[in-house]
Amino acid sequence: MSTSEARRELTLVGPSPLRGTMHVPGDKGISHRALLLGALARGRSRISNLAPGDDVRRTMHALEQLGVQIRASADECTVRGAGPDALREPAGVIDCGNSGTTMRMLAGVVAGRSFLTVLTGDASLSIRPMARVVDPLRSLGARIDGRDGGRLPPLVVRGGALTGRRVKLGVASGQVKTAILLAALQAEGVTEIVEPAPSRDHTERMLMALGVSLERLDERTVRVEPGEPSPLELDVPGDPSSAAFFAVAACITPGSELVVGDVCLNPTRIGWVDVLQRMGARIHVAESGRRLGEPVGDITAEYSPLTGTTIVPGEGMIDEIPALAVAAAFADGVTEIRDAAELRVKESDRIGTICQELAQMGIAVEPRADGLLIRGGRPRPGQFKSHGDHRIAMAAAVAANAATGESTVRGWSSVAVSYPAFADDLARATASR
Ligand code: S3P
């Protein structure tokens, strides 16, 4: 394996089995939330194993611009929160980079503050949908504007007094639900959030563990009272969405047997494990404990021939579709991914970008308006492109690692937003005997 910094290209020669035990970086979604909740709490929060990528750094810098004191070393991050009232109007524009999570969740935090915040981002973030978060925040009383009437970034938030109410979300989204929850903590009165389908529930688990009065009325409805979370101490568990790439790599590369240790096993995050099991993979999870309301444990995956299946993201996965699409390319038969229009508005149009990259390997793929049809086969090595999307880059690396021969992934540096050391960790896992 070689990475050329100048060309920002990764070269891999496969097949290389993955063996031994490895750890992936801390969960990105929990890391964002831990920083935001630490900022809204009163007192010192200590967070270790924070996700290393640029996305989480954007949230950290944004909070510093809002006046929160944060000290981060290689091992631990300390957030000195002083409650929402202590947040200050930022002197400049907040640049969320590539991070939709930063922009949407932060919009919820500042919606309750009576100052002006401007949130911007890179070219990819600038075309991602924002009405899904702007509309419900407006319904609580926040004044928010943005390009195209608030449908696109940059967002301009002039927060203020919010009133709790029943809010029906237009999309099932962990980011949007979190934004509304963070605003609701600062509102007058109770807020009820109704989703069209369940989404990831880290924020609910964390808020309950931190003493906020929050109740799940059913699997799509949560009720929250205004309040402040207590400061937190958290060793962030490994990111299941990162673990998925290594698990798939092990499932499709003959001779592999890999354990990914200390991963967050929240059921809303590991639907992809069930999908792989359905495809015939030898993969299982073993819970070993709980951390701030989250189940944590190991995922073990070994090589086994796979067969095609039907995948519906509502089953508890979305960020893992690029990895699952690679599993489908190496499986016998057809895999259909459907009801997945959200893929079109991620860091890239993932229906288009997955199609292009699998076709590179000689795999027949048909795009659909809301999904893909993948005819598995014998993928050959390819000259892949990341399309500026970290998960497309990592999926390409997983495919390259399993195919026989030399492949390259151009635009490799896009992994920096979530998993800068992915290539090093892959090299270590394939070097273990
Ligand atoms: C996230 C929720 C998902 C996911 C994103 C992180 C979160 O997005 O794709 O990577 O941390 O809540 P949506 O909320 O848009 O579904």
Side-chain angles (χ1 to χ4, degrees):
M1 173 185 308
S2 64
T3 325
S4 155
E5 262 312 302
R7 285 178 296 137
R8 297 201 168 106
E9 186 172 287
L10 176 74
T11 301
L12 291 167
V13 180
S16 298
L18 295 89
R19 303 190 66 82
T21 298
M22 68 172 297
H23 291 88
V24 292
D27 186 72
K28 188 156 80 74
I30 294 177
S31 296
H32 285 289
R33 289 163 171 82
L35 290 166
L36 295 168
L37 296 183
L40 294 176
R42 245 170 248 268
R44 189 179 65 170
S45 290
R46 284 169 39 189
I47 310 158
S48 53
N49 201 34
L50 201 69
D54 189 63
D55 279 12
V56 169
R57 241 191 342 257
R58 296 284 175 170
T59 293
M60 204 186 280
H61 288 159
L63 289 171
E64 285 174 333
Q65 284 180 265
L66 290 163
V68 181
Q69 274 183 39
I70 301 184
R71 245 205 352 239
S73 70
D75 305 326
E76 196 178 76
C77 172
T78 307
V79 181
R80 284 184 191 279
D85 294 341
L87 297 177
R88 294 285 161 260
E89 185 168 72
V93 168
I94 293 181
D95 185 354
C96 304
N98 191 245
S99 178
T101 312
T102 303
M103 183 173 285
R104 294 186 179 129
M105 291 185 185
L106 213 54
V109 171
V110 296
R113 303 292 93 213
S114 59
F115 53 65
L116 186 88
T117 310
V118 183
L119 302 166
T120 186
D122 69 8
S124 151
L125 181 52
S126 298
I127 52 169
R128 295 186 66 188
M130 291 297 146
R132 54 183 61 193
V133 68
V134 167
D135 292 344
L137 288 173
R138 280 177 179 161
S139 78
L140 295 181
R143 280 178 289 159
I144 309 190
D145 209 345
R147 219 151 43 87
D148 196 16
R151 278 191 277 278
L152 292 172
L155 298 182
V156 181
V157 187
R158 165 73 71 185
L162 304 180
T163 311
R165 61 186 293 274
R166 190 173 163 88
V167 182
K168 278 191 162 182
L169 302 185
V171 287
S173 157
Q175 295 175 0
V176 173
K177 180 175 52 178
T178 299
I180 311 311
L181 284 168
L182 298 177
L185 292 179
Q186 308 170 58
E188 174 105 15
V190 173
T191 300
E192 268 180 31
I193 306 169
V194 189
E195 293 191 276
S199 66
R200 56 176 74 181
D201 64 354
H202 302 302
T203 313
E204 293 93 306
R205 287 171 186 256
M206 293 170 86
L207 286 174
M208 281 193 265
L210 297 173
V212 168
S213 177
L214 182 147
E215 201 187 335
R216 289 173 220 259
L217 301 182
D218 59 49
E219 59 166 15
R220 298 188 299 115
T221 314
V222 57
R223 176 183 189 279
V224 65
E225 288 179 22
E228 283 174 18
S230 322
L232 57 132
E233 301 257 332
L234 178 64
D235 182 26
V236 179
D239 193 323
S241 304
S242 301
F245 290 97
F246 287 98
V248 167
C251 289
I252 62 174
T253 314
S256 300
E257 185 171 353
L258 184 74
V259 179
V260 189
D262 203 44
V263 179
C264 172
L265 299 179
N266 181 316
T268 63
R269 297 291 302 285
I270 56 165
W272 56 272
V273 173
D274 299 335
V275 172
L276 287 170
Q277 281 171 345
R278 229 166 42 222
M279 296 175 83
R282 291 206 192 110
I283 180 166
H284 63 267
V285 301
E287 189 177 325
S288 56
R290 294 207 146 232
R291 235 173 277 157
L292 214 59
E294 299 282 352
V296 178
D298 295 349
I299 299 179
T300 305
E302 50 181 299
Y303 170 75
S304 143
L306 304 181
T307 49
T309 188
T310 300
I311 302 176
V312 185
E315 293 174 287
M317 80 216 83
I318 184 73
D319 295 339
E320 301 75 19
I321 296 289
L324 291 173
V326 171
F330 281 80
D332 239 15
V334 176
T335 294
E336 186 186 1
I337 301 173
R338 56 179 172 77
D339 297 337
E342 271 298 294
L343 291 173
R344 296 238 178 244
V345 292
K346 289 293 177 188
E347 288 84 329
S348 68
D349 168 359
R350 286 185 180 157
I351 292 177
T353 50
I354 290 170
C355 274
Q356 276 188 46
E357 298 315 302
L358 292 187
Q360 266 287 314
M361 308 184 88
I363 294 296
V365 209
E366 282 170 36
R368 300 272 162 87
D370 67 345
L372 300 153
L373 205 76
I374 300 166
R375 288 177 208 285
R378 284 182 174 276
R380 46 169 201 256
Q383 310 293 308
F384 301 103
K385 287 200 297 262
S386 72
H387 303 269
D389 183 335
H390 56 137
R391 297 199 207 274
I392 297 298
M394 292 187 281
V398 167
N401 183 72
T404 304
E406 185 177 298
S407 298
T408 54
V409 188
R410 270 193 271 151
W412 180 249
S413 58
S414 57
V415 297
V417 303
S418 70
Y419 201 157
F422 185 92
D424 298 337
D425 287 356
L426 180 61
R428 259 194 296 277
T430 51
S432 309
R433 290 282 172 254

